[in-house]
């Protein structure tokens, strides 16, 4: 897809970025409260691409861990939080305590990441819901670990589906880890998002 | 309207998990039997009660409470893991008359009941007890930590042991080296003393002194070798070496020793072995000498053998199997396990009977290992002991060609009596390459006919001739020499194996020496140097 801003004007794009930053900011405050340490989440950049293009954001053989929640009802979407598997142990140890051995951190990875992903995705889904003014049904989060191709292509997704993706920086006390939040837009069109953003801008 | 009707949720009473349903006012509308059990609160007492009144301990700022509100307000599902939120609800189980909090994993989902205007929204909490898996994780963590501590301790201990061992080996090497110098002085002086004009009694003392000094020198050499290997100072070289030359050298060392004990010494060498390979001749020699010396030492009667076989080969490399076997006292299964340990022999009494430091096999195994092999032993007490190992070598073809082209040259007339045409041809070719005039025949009668016409410096006789065998032919030769009054020729027997030769019979019929099949250039060189007249007569 040639236009990485999805055909949004600068103002519309800035508004969408700001909305997501508010959303992940809330998620960060929940995580900070829960883990008793300062955690910062930021979304510096939103891009639009196809599912096939999204794969090139990652190395072909890189293993990724993902937490995803399906959204259905008035609109269909899949929301996914993606982190490189190689960083996940570091994140778990930074969050739950450096005293943990790598083996234990690996053992706890699935459960801890599922909840962290759930908090971050819920915050973002809330933003999407508000933007679209729609109510929908959200599935419980599910965890997966695999290569980019298996996660994005071999699943039920159409490679040509549009993805709204944002790089997310997770800043912990001792380290910063970068991942992605992706919304595979099923029945949601860019026109729909643009219309709602314009409506919001006109009300400001 | 409370959801207490069994037709609505009663089935959830039969599931081993907690089900709790809240309405939009955060009042409890369903509470299954599992919840009754672990909260110690009856459904009748909590239904229609606000959650915060039933659980006053629950913090409204907690992750669980916030998630319930987000679920009811926005429909956000949530996972509350035990990992990040230990015991979010005050639920307990009785253990040894005490209430202990249970570890929980909670899932929050939005539930819609009714249709249209009657649609009601509820928050369903699905709670599972994960205490067992938490306990397993704690045990796993404990186990991992214990293993890591043990590994660290082991690493440290190994490091210290290696350091200490290295220091010890270095010390031993230095001491041995320093001891050799004065001992060499003693040995030199003893040799001089032997040549002095001394009476028999003193000569006997000097002889004992020489033997003791020599024995001490052997022990020091062993310690020096052991220390060198142990401290990692023993490098293995890769030089061209002639395998048959090495075997003959070893044969020469042990032939008389075996004869003294009345043992048969058998060498079985694969004739397809390459003439030259790249390896450490000195160390391989040391390995084979140690093993054969041991075999002879511990074999009171019977035979000791060395076998070299090709285990595998390609164009450039070859793997040779070395087997040293004896029919000696053998080693018990238990002793086989520790026979390679330093300073160890099969048992204490043997050490006293046979002497030695108990370092030989340890050194041998380490040398084999340094050369890339693994020395193994198998034995049945009072039957046999077999030491074997495999070593890989690079073939050294060019050097072989070069050595063939630079063979020493001799002059002399040779009669070759051999009925096997292949052997006859190859032996004749080898002899010709040494510059000798060769006359070949394939039977005893032909050989005797030839001797009427001319005299030979050397006669090679195959012992396995048909009709008239090699022994008979040799006796006729000697008889003919007496009749014709010609000088005695040297008769060399060609035998399929050194074992099959009857030495007494050889002596009786006048055979001077023997070589084994297949005839090798090294064998012929030895024979020529030993038996060929230094200034051979020219012409027949």
């Amino acid at each position: 897809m040639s236009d990485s801003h999805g055909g949004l004007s600068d103002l519309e794009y800035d508004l969408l970025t700001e909305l997501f930053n508010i959303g992940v900011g809330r998620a960060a405050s929940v995580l900070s409260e829960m883990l008793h340490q300062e955690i910062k989440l930021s979304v510096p950049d939103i891009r639009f691409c196809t599912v096939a293009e999204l794969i090139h954001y990652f190395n072909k053989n890189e293993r990724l861990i993902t937490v995803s929640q399906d959204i259905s009802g008035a609109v269909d979407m899949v929301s996914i939080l993606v982190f490189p598997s190689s960083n996940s142990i570091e994140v778990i140890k930074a969050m739950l305590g450096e005293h943990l051995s790598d083996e234990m951190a690996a053992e706890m990875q699935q459960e801890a990441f599922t909840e962290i992903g759930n908090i971050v995705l819920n915050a973002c889904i809330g933003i999407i819901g508000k933007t679209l003014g729609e109510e929908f049904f959200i599935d419980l989060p599910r965890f997966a670990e695999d290569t980019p191709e298996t996660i994005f292509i071999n699943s039920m997704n159409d490679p040509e589906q549009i993805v709204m993706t944002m790089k997310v920086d997770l800043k912990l006390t001792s380290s910063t880890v970068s991942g992605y939040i992706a919304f595979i837009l099923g029945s949601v069109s860019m026109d729909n998002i643009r219309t709602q953003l314009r409506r919001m801008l006109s009300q400001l | 309207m409370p959801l207490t009707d069994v037709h609505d949720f009663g089935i959830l009473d039969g599931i081993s998990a907690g089900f709790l349903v809240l309405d939009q006012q955060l009042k409890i509308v369903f509470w299954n039997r599992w919840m009754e059990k672990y909260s110690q609160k009856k459904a009748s007492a909590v239904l229609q009660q606000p959650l915060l009144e039933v659980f006053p301990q629950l913090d409204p700022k907690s992750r669980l409470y916030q998630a319930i509100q987000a679920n009811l307000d926005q429909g956000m599902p949530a996972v509350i893991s035990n990992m990040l939120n230990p015991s979010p609800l005050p639920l307990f189980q009785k253990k040894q008359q005490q209430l202990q909090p249970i570890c929980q994993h909670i899932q929050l989902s939005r539930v819609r009941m009714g249709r249209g205007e009657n649609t009601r929204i509820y928050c369903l909490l699905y709670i599972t007890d994960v205490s067992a898996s938490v306990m397993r994780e704690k045990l796993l963590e404990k186990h991992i930590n214990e293993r890591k501590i043990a590994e660290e301790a082991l690493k440290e201990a190994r490091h210290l042991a290696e350091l200490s061992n290295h220091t010890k080996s270095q010390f031993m090497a230095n001491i041995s080296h320093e001891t050799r110098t004065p001992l060499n002085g003693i040995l030199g002086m003893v040799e001089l003393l032997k040549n002095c004009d001394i009476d028999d009694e003193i000569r006997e003392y000097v002889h004992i002194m020489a033997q003791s000094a020599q024995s001490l020198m052997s022990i020091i050499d062993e310690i020096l070798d052991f220390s060198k290997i142990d401290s990692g100072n023993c490098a293995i070289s890769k030089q061209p070496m002639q395998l048959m030359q090495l075997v003959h050298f070893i044969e020469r060392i042990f032939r008389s020793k075996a004869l003294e004990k009345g043992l048969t010494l058998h060498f079985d060498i694969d004739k397809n072995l390459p003439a030259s390979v790249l390896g450490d001749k000195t160390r391989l020699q040391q390995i084979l000498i140690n093993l054969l010396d041991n075999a002879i030492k511990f074999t009171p009667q019977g035979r000791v053998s060395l076998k070299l076989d090709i285990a595998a080969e390609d164009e450039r490399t070859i793997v040779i199997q070395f087997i040293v076997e004896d029919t000696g006292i053998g080693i018990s299964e238990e002793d086989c396990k520790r026979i390679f340990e330093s300073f160890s022999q099969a048992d204490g009494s043997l050490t006293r009977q046979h002497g030695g430091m108990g370092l030989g096999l340890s050194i041998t195994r380490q040398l084999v290992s340094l050369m890339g092999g693994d020395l193994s032993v198998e034995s049945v007490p009072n039957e046999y002991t077999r030491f074997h190992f495999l070593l890989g070598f690079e073939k050294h073809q060019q050097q072989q060609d070069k050595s063939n082209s630079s063979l020493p040259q001799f002059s002399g007339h040779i009669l070759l009596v051999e009925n096997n045409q292949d052997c006859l041809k190859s032996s004749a070719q080898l002899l010709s390459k040494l510059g000798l005039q060769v006359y070949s025949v394939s039977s005893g009668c032909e050989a005797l006919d030839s001797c009427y016409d001319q005299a030979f410096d050397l006669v090679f006789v195959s012992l396995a001739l048909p009709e008239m065998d090699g022994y008979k032919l040799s006796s006729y030769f000697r008889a003919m020499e007496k009749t014709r009054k010609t000088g005695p020729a040297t008769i060399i027997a060609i035998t399929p194996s050194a074992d099959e030769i009857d030495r007494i019979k050889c002596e009786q019929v006048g055979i001077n020496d023997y070589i084994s099949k297949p005839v090798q250039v090294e064998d012929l060189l030895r024979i020529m140097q030993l038996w060929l007249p230094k200034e051979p007569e020219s012409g027949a």
Side-chain angles (χ1 to χ4, degrees):
Chain A
M1 188 170 178
S2 55
D3 185 359
S4 64
H5 285 191
L8 297 178
S9 70
D10 287 350
L11 207 55
E12 290 158 0
Y13 178 80
D14 286 347
L15 174 62
L16 191 64
T17 311
E18 191 52 35
L19 284 172
F20 274 110
N21 271 312
I22 292 167
V24 296
R26 283 181 191 152
S29 97
V30 173
L31 286 174
S32 302
E33 181 82 21
M34 197 167 72
L35 300 168
H36 310 293
Q37 62 172 301
E38 192 181 7
I39 291 171
K40 287 181 181 171
L41 277 165
S42 60
V43 180
D45 191 23
I46 300 176
R47 286 184 185 190
F48 293 86
C49 62
T50 62
V51 170
E53 287 167 338
L54 178 65
I55 290 170
H56 301 296
Y57 285 29
F58 310 96
N59 292 328
K60 195 181 171 189
N61 297 319
E62 184 178 19
R63 287 192 77 77
L64 305 174
I65 59 165
T66 64
V67 177
S68 57
Q69 287 182 238
D70 292 349
I71 299 159
S72 55
V75 293
D76 290 318
M77 277 189 289
V78 180
S79 61
I80 312 174
L81 176 69
V82 188
F83 276 105
S85 191
S86 52
N87 291 342
S88 65
I89 301 292
E90 192 188 336
V91 174
I92 297 291
K93 285 171 82 168
M95 284 185 167
L96 299 180
E98 292 293 340
H99 66 279
L100 277 179
S101 63
D102 284 358
E103 291 95 329
M104 275 311 290
E107 180 80 15
M108 294 174 162
Q109 172 179 273
Q110 177 168 349
E111 207 175 329
F113 254 107
T114 305
E115 184 167 359
I116 292 163
N118 176 227
I119 291 167
V120 175
L121 290 177
N122 274 358
C124 295
I125 293 165
I127 297 298
I128 298 267
K130 274 185 185 162
T131 308
L132 296 174
E134 298 280 2
E135 207 172 313
F136 30 64
F137 185 80
I138 311 154
D139 278 349
L140 280 160
R142 62 174 186 275
F143 176 91
E145 181 174 3
D146 221 315
T147 56
E149 194 168 1
T150 315
I151 286 174
F152 297 114
I153 293 283
N154 296 347
S155 61
M156 298 295 284
N157 306 313
D158 174 356
E160 292 309 311
Q161 270 183 304
I162 301 297
V163 185
M164 178 169 65
T165 176
M166 55 208 88
K167 189 166 176 277
V168 59
D169 293 330
L170 174 67
K171 281 188 186 170
L172 302 157
T173 318
S174 55
S175 57
T176 300
V177 184
S178 291
Y180 285 91
I181 297 170
F183 283 89
I184 299 173
L185 306 174
S187 61
V188 182
S189 70
M190 281 308 300
D191 285 345
N192 199 344
I193 292 174
R194 191 183 302 112
T195 306
Q196 295 306 327
L197 286 170
R198 279 180 191 162
R199 184 183 55 80
M200 288 172 83
L201 282 168
S202 68
Q203 287 170 356
L204 288 175
Chain B
M1 185 180 123
L3 294 170
T4 51
D5 189 337
V6 288
H7 296 297
D8 291 326
F9 285 103
I11 197 165
L12 299 180
D13 274 338
I15 293 177
S16 179
F19 285 94
L20 160 61
V21 182
L22 298 167
D23 67 9
Q24 282 184 297
Q25 286 73 47
L26 289 168
K27 283 184 180 169
I28 296 166
V29 292
F30 183 77
W31 187 264
N32 77 339
R33 203 169 285 159
W34 189 93
M35 287 299 294
E36 285 185 338
K37 184 180 173 187
Y38 290 104
S39 67
Q40 288 81 43
K41 295 177 197 295
K42 289 284 177 193
S44 54
V46 300
L47 288 173
Q48 289 303 316
Q49 299 298 313
L51 182 67
L52 282 177
E53 281 185 20
V54 175
F55 292 130
Q57 309 93 319
L58 190 60
D59 183 356
K61 286 182 183 170
S62 70
R63 155 89 171 126
L64 175 63
Y65 196 82
Q66 299 279 330
I68 291 170
Q69 281 195 321
N71 183 270
L72 287 167
D73 295 348
Q74 297 169 275
M76 297 298 170
V79 172
I80 315 284
S81 74
N82 168 77
M83 208 74 70
L84 306 179
N85 315 268
S87 305
L89 286 172
L91 302 173
F92 302 91
Q93 61 180 331
K94 269 189 186 171
K95 265 191 182 174
Q96 294 161 344
Q97 303 302 317
Q98 282 190 332
L99 287 177
Q100 288 186 356
I102 61 166
C103 303
Q104 305 147 39
H105 180 88
I106 304 175
Q107 287 183 4
L108 272 71
S109 310
R110 183 187 247 197
V111 179
R112 284 168 184 266
M113 303 285 288
R115 287 184 180 179
E117 288 180 359
N118 292 326
T119 302
R120 293 180 304 278
I121 289 172
Y122 299 98
C123 174
L124 167 67
L125 277 76
Y126 165 58
I127 306 155
T128 46
D129 178 3
V130 291
S131 305
S133 57
V134 170
M135 182 61 75
R136 186 179 61 84
E137 277 159 10
K138 280 183 182 163
L139 283 172
L140 181 68
E141 173 81 77
K142 188 169 168 257
H143 175 72
I144 290 166
N145 287 339
E146 282 172 358
R147 195 196 69 208
K148 280 195 173 159
I149 290 168
E151 275 173 4
E152 284 301 315
L154 193 66
K155 210 167 148 188
E156 180 64 20
R158 189 182 297 141
H159 175 69
L160 285 174
E162 279 170 1
L163 198 67
S164 151
N165 198 36
H166 182 81
T167 312
K168 179 203 76 186
S169 300
Q170 200 60 49
F171 173 75
M172 296 275 276
N174 289 344
I175 287 286
S176 307
H177 188 74
E178 291 304 318
T179 318
R180 274 173 69 96
T181 313
L183 189 57
N184 268 324
I186 294 170
L187 278 165
M189 288 303 112
V190 169
E191 277 306 307
L192 287 176
L193 205 52
K194 274 183 186 172
N195 297 321
C196 291
D197 185 16
I198 48 176
D199 64 34
D200 287 350
E201 192 185 349
I202 293 175
R203 188 169 297 282
E204 176 64 19
Y205 296 157
V206 170
H207 178 69
I208 294 167
M209 201 193 289
Q211 272 189 334
S212 304
Q214 197 57 57
S215 157
L216 183 57
M217 184 63 107
S218 303
I219 292 170
I220 288 169
D221 282 349
E222 245 185 19
I223 295 173
L224 195 58
D225 264 344
F226 176 78
S227 311
K228 261 189 194 172
I229 296 169
D230 214 37
S231 59
N233 290 330
C234 181
I236 298 295
S237 71
K238 213 181 197 184
Q239 297 292 327
M241 62 170 175
Q242 308 288 322
L243 282 170
M244 285 314 296
Q245 212 174 47
L246 177 97
V247 170
H248 287 306
F249 174 75
I250 287 167
E251 190 180 358
R252 274 202 298 278
I253 293 175
F254 289 107
R255 179 67 63 198
S256 58
K257 208 170 178 178
L259 270 174
E260 273 172 29
K261 281 192 83 172
L263 301 174
T264 308
L265 188 62
H266 179 65
F267 286 78
D268 182 2
I269 314 299
D270 191 325
K271 64 178 179 184
N272 295 318
L273 279 176
S276 180
V277 294
L278 293 177
D280 194 323
K281 186 182 167 187
T282 313
R283 291 304 181 185
L284 180 58
Q285 209 164 272
Q286 192 179 355
I287 290 166
L288 296 175
I289 288 174
N290 278 352
L291 291 177
L292 282 164
D293 196 44
N294 247 14
I296 290 175
K297 187 153 99 177
F298 293 104
T299 305
Q301 58 184 19
R303 84 182 215 158
V304 170
S305 66
L306 169 67
K307 189 174 181 187
L308 268 67
D309 269 339
I310 299 175
E313 77 172 312
D314 59 25
E315 276 180 23
R316 296 183 58 195
T317 57
I318 185 163
V319 179
I320 303 175
Q321 176 173 242
F322 296 80
I323 302 172
V324 173
E325 193 172 327
D326 65 61
T327 56
I329 57 172
I331 309 161
S332 71
E333 199 180 332
E334 198 178 315
D335 286 335
C336 278
K337 289 174 192 162
R338 58 181 187 87
I339 195 100
F340 297 115
E341 287 170 17
S342 310
F343 309 102
S344 163
Q345 282 196 349
D347 66 44
S349 68
L350 279 184
T351 308
R352 282 190 293 279
Q353 189 186 335
H354 295 278
M357 290 283 289
L359 278 178
L361 281 177
S362 169
I363 292 170
T364 307
R365 179 177 236 188
Q366 291 190 65
L367 285 175
V368 171
S369 167
L370 281 172
M371 294 174 85
D374 184 23
L375 178 63
S376 319
V377 61
E378 49 191 271
S379 180
V380 173
N382 297 317
E383 281 188 27
Y384 75 92
T385 301
R386 185 185 299 129
F387 285 92
H388 51 96
F389 57 96
L390 295 170
L391 289 181
F393 299 97
E394 276 177 48
K395 291 179 183 173
H396 186 247
Q397 195 58 46
Q398 284 178 335
Q399 191 61 32
Q400 165 71 10
D401 293 337
K402 193 179 160 192
S403 70
N404 270 350
S405 65
S406 60
L407 284 173
Q409 296 296 295
F410 300 87
S411 62
H413 291 79
I414 312 292
L415 174 64
L416 180 59
V417 194
E418 170 67 75
N419 64 313
N420 181 314
Q421 289 306 307
D422 288 341
C423 288
L424 186 74
K425 203 173 165 185
S426 62
S427 303
Q429 265 179 354
L430 276 178
L431 287 163
S432 300
K433 277 186 181 172
L434 294 175
L436 297 156
Q437 298 288 318
V438 187
Y439 193 82
S440 313
V441 293
S442 53
S443 71
C445 294
E446 283 178 274
L448 290 172
D449 284 346
S450 320
C451 290
Y452 280 110
D453 299 324
Q454 68 181 93
F456 295 97
D457 301 301
L458 282 175
V459 181
F460 285 90
V461 179
S462 171
L463 288 180
L465 292 172
E467 295 169 11
M468 185 192 300
D469 69 14
Y471 295 110
K472 196 174 270 183
L473 175 62
S474 301
S475 63
Y476 286 157
F477 265 133
R478 292 304 180 212
M480 220 162 88
E481 279 168 354
K482 280 179 193 162
T483 321
R484 297 183 65 199
K485 294 182 180 170
T486 55
T490 301
I491 302 177
I492 311 294
I494 304 173
T495 166
S497 92
D499 265 356
E500 291 172 27
I501 196 160
D502 183 340
R503 287 182 186 78
I504 297 165
K505 202 170 172 185
C506 279
E507 207 174 310
Q508 283 170 353
V509 299
I511 292 174
N512 302 91
D513 206 339
Y514 65 89
I515 53 174
S516 305
K517 285 183 186 177
V519 175
Q520 304 279 343
V521 72
E522 287 87 356
D523 290 328
L524 294 178
L525 287 173
R526 178 177 68 84
I527 294 292
M528 296 308 152
Q529 276 153 3
L530 198 62
W531 295 105
L532 198 66
K534 298 292 175 199
E535 293 175 11
E537 290 170 21
S538 60

